[in-house]
Structure formats: structure tokens, C-alpha cells
Amino acid sequence: MLVWFLPVFLVLLVISLPVFFALLFAPGLLLWLNGQERDIALLYRNIYNGIDSFPLMALPFFMLAGELMNRGGITTRLVEFSQALMGHLRGGLAHVNILSSILFAGLSGSAVADTSAIGSTLIPAMEKNGYTRKFAAAVTAASSVIGPIIPPSGIMIIYAYVMGESVAALFLAGIVPGILIGAGLMLVVWLLADRYELPKAERIVQQGATISNVEYWVSFVLLRLNLVAVFVAAGYGLLALSADPATYAVAAGGWTPWVVFAALLIPAHVYLMWLRGRISHDFRVVCKKAVAPLQAPIIILGGILLGVVTPTEASAVAVAYALFVSFFVLGTLKLSDLPDVLKRSALASATVLLLVGAAVAFKTVVSLSHAPEALASFILDLSKDPLVLLFLINILLFVVGMFLDAGPAIIILGPILGPVFVNLGVDPLHFAIIMSVNLTVGLATPPMGLVLFVASSVSGERVETISKAILPLLAVEVLVIFLITYIPALSMTVPRLTGFAQ
Amino acid sequence: MGVPLAEALLLPLRGLSTVNEWVLRVASTIAWISLAIMVVIVLVQVVFRYAFNAALPWPDEAARFCMLWMTGLIAPLAYRTGNFVAIDTLHAGLPKAAAHVLSLVLLTLSAIVLWFGIFYGWKHTFGFGGNFNSSSLYVPLGWFGGETIQVKLRYMYGSLLTGLVLMMSVNIELILRELVGLVAPAAKQPKVQGLNAPVDVQ
């Protein structure tokens, strides 16, 4: 009897009932028909308990940090930096668009923010440079799905919470797949560039740009500190591999690391001054301007990797850093902007939090109903081979992604599909990445792709036109999905090396 | 025939719309302030744990308290401004009158969910469990010569209940709007003031 709640739920979704209500109405109705009124009270308490969670708090914080950074005008800095690196290639601005998305992904966990920020800067620039508008919009939409794959990531926080995985491990597992998608897109652009003679662009957008004093010194200090951190990390890495544990313990304990750190500041400074003489003034200014924004992902990931902070605390630190940068370093944000930024982040995260609460309630009914067992036996009737099943599940996810946004889809499908595949021997972390990447790519697939709609409103091009132009780019993303599915090492290596997964 | 009916519906719609407008304006203000407080609380904890090596007992629960109220107080505004996620392919494809009828069906289903939510929320908040004291939260009025007030769990439970009640109020307004749209498509409906641009909800 209770198994029927799934079909009822699907019907409610198809007739356009908001997901939040559908997640509660279907199980509630079936429990009531089944005479289990007591369990409806359980349903309610699970919504509440679902929202009442500290790890989930990373969601509003990362949204807030992303929004603050975006308002603070970091997008232009990232785009100019990308252009200085890749603008001179054939199809330069398309490459710039993709690289900007990769960099932006380290600050924001949302594909929509990525599309609207980068699209509004780069689509007009690409058009001026001689690209068709539909191609510019398609590249923007396709590359923005990297946003939720490279950490921080909203949907990964949600998935980790609903499924009881580690947020940090999921974040780390997303890095390689995200970069793979970026690299794949660049490959397509490179191939298309020869065929359609896509134009090159200037590496420097603005000649003779200046940089404010504060920003100059902030990036001066940050650059040196980061360089030394790289030296120290490399040094200790080598030491841990080669030397015996006792030497390593002495070198890593007490004050020694700090002394080493301070001493290494001198070679770092000398190296950077040497570098300064070898590059042009304009290039240097563009790079310096990107230092402060790009420090944010380093703080977030560095903090989590070193075990200094939990992901939630890292997200709060990211908010503080974003405030510091946009108020004191860049001076681009006014105090009067804050209420609006806070209100929008609160509103966006409240809807997601309600959904998560409803999903936790939904999940209890999923397990009460034995739906996963029924589904598992159905799936196992199709095939016993995990590889075939993963192929089928990818197709299912892709189809779902065409109609539903990544967040709600992962909330609904995670509890149903996760246990089935984990029992088949797929690593939970690997499965989480398959789901996240696949459903995120779904954001850019017609007919119902959130990112397509945003790209359309930013560019003024019709959704149908963009949908056609995006197909070759989507083909590569599908290819990457299958690579990730069949080579678990792609997602598992980073969390394993850093000790966040077995 | 539709006109007097529309008039009869427009009057309560205008009243309810104004009430919702103002209540949600206040509620959403408290909500974004809660978000700001959450950030501060978590940062305080980070500083105390790593700089002073003395983790505080209350920030975890206090931050969750703020998040619960943030959710309860601003989610109704999201509902009113159409920011609840739905697959609206079918709805968008229907002719106008049919779309209004479908909306009314959907809003009725939502109202049923909200009704049960409020029923169980009331029991949850004012029932036995809500009497217990929070494990770490109290209002230290002792500092000002008063009596220390223990925060009861029901002060937190109330957040979701409040959210559901406000959403019910919004739901009734939306039903009135659809009814007016059905009987008098040309009637001028009160505007929804909310946010100036679409919000990023994934």
C-alpha cells in the first residue's frame, strides 16, 4: 500500500505542485489511508529536525559569501585575469569564459550565480569580438555548471546532509571532475576554433590600469604568504615521504614550522621581485587584482584540508573574508547594500532548507514503505552488472535533470537510489559525485534548464536557440559524466590522499 | 455576472494582501538580521576555539536557533513571491482559464498540507516536549539584576509553526487571487512587493 506514495508523488510533481508540498502531501496521504496517523506526527517532527542542523548552516553562509563577492565586483577581476592568461589563443574569449567559470566556482556554489555574473560581463564582450550571441550564451551556460561541482557546492552540502556523508570528502571529490569538465569544454572550443575561425582577443583589456594602495599591499602580502605555504607544504610532503618518522615529527612539531615559514619569506620575496622584472606592467596589475578574490577558495579549502575548521565554520570565515575584501580592500560595497544581500541569501536558503526538511521527512517514509527494496529488486531484474546499472542510472538521472533542478532532484532521488547502489558495492562517495555531476549538467539541458533560462535572460537570445548551440558542449559533458562513472579514481583520489575517505 | 462576485472577492483580497505585505516585511527583516547574527555567532566560536583554545557551549545551539527562525520567517515571503520550486511545464502550457483552475487545485492541496502542518506544529510546540529547557541557551538577565530565563525548546519549535501559519495566510491570498483571475481576468489585483530581481534558488 505504502509503496504507492512514489507514483502519487510523481503525479503531484507533474501537475506542477511545488516540490515542498508534494514531498509532504504524498507520504502524508498514504500514511493516512494506511491508518498510520501517528506517523504523520513523525513526519512533522522530521521536517523540524531536518532543518535544525549545524552542518546545514554552511548552505546560507556560502550563498551569502558568493553573493557578497559578486556584488563586490570580483567578476570583472576574474575575467580580466583569465583573459590575461588565455585571451591570445584562438577562440580566446570562449576559453576565458570557461576559465572564469572554473575560478568563480571556487567562490560560489551555484551555477545560476555563475551564469548571470559571467554572462553579463562576457556575452557582450564576446559579441563585440565577433562571436555569435547564441554561441556566447551557450558557452556561458555550459561552463557555469562547473560552479556546483568545484567546491564550495550547495547541492553537495544538501546531499551530504540528507545521506549522512562527509561534506569535506564530497567537496574534495568534486575538484577533479569539475576541472575535467572545464578541460573538456576548452577542448571543444579549441576544435571549433579551427573550424569556424573563432577570433583571438587582446590579453590586456585595459591599458595602464592602476591599483589602489590598500589592494596593492594586500595582494603583496597574500602572494608571499601563499608562495611560502606552497614551499612549506612541498617540503613537508617530501620529508614525510623520504625521511624517517622521528625526523619528520621533530621538523613538524613545536615552533619549527613557524621558523621555517618565516625564513622562507625571503626566497619567496626574491623570486617574486625577479618575476616582477620579467612581465609587463599591465599584466602584473591584472594578476595582482585577482589575488584578493582568489584567496577565498584557498582559505575555504585550506581550512577544511588542514582540519582547522569544519565546512560550516569555513563558510562563516568565507563570509567574513568576503566582507573584508569588498569593504576594505576593494571598497566596492556600501553598508546600505548589506540588508538586500542578506535578505536575498536568507530567502534563497530558507526555501532550500524547507525542502531539505521535507526531504528528511520524505526519507523516513521511503524507508517505512520498503520502496528501496522493491526498487532494488526491480533494478536487479534488469541486470546484475553494476556497470550496466550505472549506465542506466545515468540515463535516468539525465532525464530527470532535464525537468528538475539539481537541488530538488538530489533531495528526492538520493534517499531512493543511494542505498540501492551502495548495496551493489558502489562507494557512497563515488555515487554522490555521479549524482551531483549528472544532475548539475542537467541544469544546462533543454527543455527545463535553469541555467539556460538565466543565460537567455542575460543575453536576450531565445532559450530554443541557445539549446541548439549548446549541444556540442553538452556532448562533452556527457562524456565526462561517463568517465567519472567508470573511473572511480577520478573522484576518489583526492579525498583518499588527504585522508577524508578510505 | 462575474463583476459583483469579483468585487466581493477583491475587497478581502486587498485587505489580506496589505496585511501579508506588512507582516512579511517585518518578518523578513527579522530573518535577515538572524542570518547576520548567525555569521557572528559562528565566527565567535571559531575565534574562541582556535585563538583562546576554549570552545563555548552555546554558539552551536544559538546559531541553529537563528537559522530556524530565519527559515520560518522568510520562507512565507518566498512562497508569496513565487520562489518555491515547482515543475511548471504543464501549468505554463495550459490556456488561461484552465491554468487558473489547476492553480486552485494545487493551492487546495497546499492548504491541506499547511493545515495538517499547523495542527501537528501546534501539538509539537505547545505539547509536552516543548516544556523542556534548552540544553545551553538562557537569557542572562542575572547580569542586569533580574532572573536568568532558561530558553524552552518551544521557543525554537515555534519557528516552523510560525512559518506555516504565515504560509497559510499567503496561501489564502493566492487562492483569492486565482479566483479573481478566473471570474474577472481584467480586474486590477494588488501588487506583490518583494524583491526587485529573481532570486537564485537551486
Side-chain angles (χ1 to χ4, degrees), chain B residues 57-74:
Chain B
W58 53 267
D60 184 300
E61 206 177 358
R64 280 188 286 125
F65 183 95
C66 290
M67 185 163 81
L68 282 163
W69 279 100
M70 176 196 89
T71 308
L73 289 175
I74 208 167

Side-chain angles (χ1 to χ4, degrees), chain B residues 77-90:
Chain B
L77 181 69
Y79 189 33
R80 188 161 187 261
T81 48
N83 278 303
F84 267 36
V85 187
I87 306 179
D88 51 4
T89 325
L90 177 67

Side-chain angles (χ1 to χ4, degrees), chain A residues 15-19 21 25 40 44 48 51-53 57 110-112 308 313 339 342 344 348 350-351 353-354 404 407, chain B residues 32 38 49-50 64 67-68 71 74-75 78 85 87 91 106 110 117 120-121 124 156-157 197-202:
Chain A
I15 63 168
S16 323
L17 189 68
V19 179
F21 295 117
F25 189 91
I40 302 183
Y44 177 87
Y48 176 86
I51 303 172
D52 185 17
S53 143
M57 215 171 284
S110 130
V112 173
V308 184
E313 290 168 347
L342 280 163
R344 297 165 67 80
T351 47
L353 288 172
L354 272 191
L404 207 57
Chain B
W32 71 252
M38 268 157 71
R49 189 181 311 159
Y50 295 105
R64 280 188 286 125
M67 185 163 81
L68 282 163
T71 308
I74 208 167
V85 187
I87 306 179
H91 188 265
L106 297 177
S110 308
Y120 287 105
H124 186 228
M156 296 198 190
Y157 291 174
V199 176
D200 167 14
V201 180
Q202 290 197 357

